[in-house]
Amino acid sequence: MADGSIPVVMVRGKSLAETWEKSLVELWNNGARVRTQYDRRDAAGEYIDPASVDCTMVMVCEEPMSDPMIHRAFPGGLEDLEEYRLEVVEGIKNHWIRDPENPEDQRWEYTYNGRLTAYPVKKRGKNGGMMVEAFNQLDYIVEKLAQNPFTRRAIAHTWVVGEDNGYESPPCLQGVWVRALEVSDALALNMDVRFRSRDAYDAAFMNCFALMHLQAELGRRLSEKTGRAVRLGRYVDFADSYHIYGRRVEDFKERFLKLLEERSFEDRTWPLEFAKPIFDEARPKVLEKVRQQDASKKCARK
């Protein structure tokens, strides 16, 4: 923007596929051109990559888990999507955390599921020394909602001050906020998520897909704990920086924008039922891949 203001964009859709598609179109049409620390330069220091396209984005998905849920233009395959869901919802890679005392250890500094289910909390022990305990924030959310569905305190964070500030790849997801409202004879479970930084083209769809499944899992657990029916309310996704990197612009135009020109919405999306058999087949393969990577210790962040 000419005055230096970051554009703020809001989109609304029924399904994930519709909402994500609208977010990319609006970002492309209304985003600012912004340089990033990842833009490549030549030997003379001149930029090789175009500037990124960036905005602050608010996505409202009115019916998470509704169809068509999957957009065919998301970069990746359905097996990748299932692997990421297992990572975020079930924590299959929570043990891929590096040893801070070993500079050769190239594993991860954190996982989202690890931060949500085992957030490090410092407490003073009986002998006066400090100790670190793992706090399960998802258990806390379910317990808090079971006590009072409309509480405003059912919240979880990922950022650890004093640690993440110095990491090369600190968490993009910052927090999750959940609240349930009474609707006839059920509870409607609403969820908000907050990202500090978001690769709109290469990461956002998979992020949303996994987090909506986390919303559904929290709803299942709340129903089990209270004995009440729980359905999903809206999902709101807030990103401070929602961007397409300059080096990905040509691919975005050739794959995503061309798909919008050439196919109907029905032909550029899939219902969840279409993907479920592929997910079921992928799950044991993913778990075996993780096992093999564990054995070879090749767990470096991609």
Side-chain angles (χ1 to χ4, degrees):
M1 302 289 284
D3 64 354
S5 296
I6 299 171
V8 179
V9 177
M10 179 178 177
V11 298
R12 181 183 294 269
K14 177 184 175 182
S15 69
L16 169 57
E18 179 188 359
T19 308
W20 180 68
E21 180 178 283
K22 285 182 176 179
S23 77
L24 287 180
V25 171
E26 292 302 312
L27 167 62
W28 180 250
N29 290 334
N30 300 300
R33 270 50 182 176
V34 182
R35 282 289 168 200
T36 79
Q37 63 266 46
Y38 304 110
D39 294 343
R40 295 171 297 180
R41 298 174 185 253
D42 61 21
E46 298 296 322
Y47 284 110
I48 300 172
D49 296 322
S52 69
V53 186
D54 200 314
C55 74
T56 292
M57 174 64 69
V58 182
M59 288 187 280
V60 181
C61 184
E62 296 169 345
E63 297 182 20
M65 305 298 293
S66 68
D67 283 323
M69 188 173 193
I70 301 173
H71 203 291
R72 299 192 194 192
F74 88 91
L78 293 175
E79 186 170 311
D80 301 318
L81 193 58
E82 173 65 0
E83 180 172 348
Y84 187 70
R85 185 195 69 81
L86 291 170
E87 179 184 328
V88 173
V89 180
E90 300 188 20
I92 64 169
K93 299 179 182 178
N94 284 358
H95 57 294
W96 285 10
I97 303 300
R98 69 179 181 87
D99 178 359
E101 303 300 322
N102 180 5
E104 302 300 319
D105 193 340
Q106 296 298 307
R107 291 176 298 173
W108 302 354
E109 292 92 357
Y110 66 91
T111 66
Y112 287 151
N113 184 276
R115 288 290 173 85
L116 294 174
T117 61
Y119 188 89
V121 177
K122 292 183 178 180
K123 290 187 176 182
R124 191 172 299 279
K126 293 180 180 179
N127 61 359
M130 297 301 294
M131 58 185 293
V132 177
E133 292 185 355
F135 182 76
N136 192 317
Q137 300 184 90
L138 299 184
D139 287 351
Y140 164 81
I141 283 176
V142 173
E143 183 64 33
K144 206 74 176 173
L145 291 172
Q147 294 172 3
N148 181 351
F150 52 84
T151 180
R152 296 183 292 262
R153 300 181 183 183
I155 190 167
H157 296 282
T158 63
W159 192 277
V160 178
V161 176
E163 291 186 19
D164 293 338
N165 309 63
Y167 287 155
E168 181 179 350
S169 301
C172 293
L173 174 65
Q174 297 293 287
V176 174
W177 180 88
V178 188
R179 195 182 195 193
L181 299 185
E182 298 278 353
V183 285
S184 62
D185 59 345
L187 292 173
L189 190 73
N190 297 263
M191 189 163 86
D192 296 355
V193 300
R194 171 74 176 271
F195 283 77
R196 63 168 182 85
S197 178
R198 196 73 166 289
D199 188 325
Y201 181 42
D202 283 334
F205 180 86
M206 293 178 73
N207 292 153
C208 292
F209 182 85
L211 289 167
M212 287 178 184
H213 276 81
L214 179 63
Q215 182 181 6
E217 173 63 12
L218 290 171
R220 183 196 66 78
R221 291 181 57 186
L222 180 61
S223 177
E224 187 177 80
K225 190 169 186 67
T226 62
R228 300 191 61 185
V230 177
R231 68 169 181 82
L232 299 188
R234 91 292 182 275
Y235 167 95
V236 175
D237 190 296
F238 186 96
D240 296 302
S241 171
Y242 194 72
H243 51 262
I244 302 170
Y245 283 107
R247 65 179 179 275
R248 296 289 287 149
V249 163
E250 287 305 313
D251 186 87
F252 173 77
K253 291 193 290 188
E254 286 300 311
R255 289 184 68 252
F256 182 84
L257 294 182
K258 189 166 287 188
L259 186 69
L260 267 61
E261 293 175 359
E262 297 176 350
R263 297 189 187 184
S264 67
F265 181 70
E266 290 73 20
D267 287 338
R268 55 183 188 260
T269 58
W270 286 313
L272 187 59
E273 286 299 319
F274 169 84
K276 278 186 175 180
I278 301 172
F279 292 158
D280 292 341
E281 184 178 348
R283 182 184 177 96
K285 295 179 182 178
V286 169
L287 296 177
E288 175 60 19
K289 182 173 77 170
V290 170
R291 189 196 67 78
Q292 291 179 3
Q293 289 174 318
D294 288 344
S296 65
K297 301 191 183 302
K298 293 181 179 179
C299 309
R301 186 178 297 279
K302 295 179 181 178

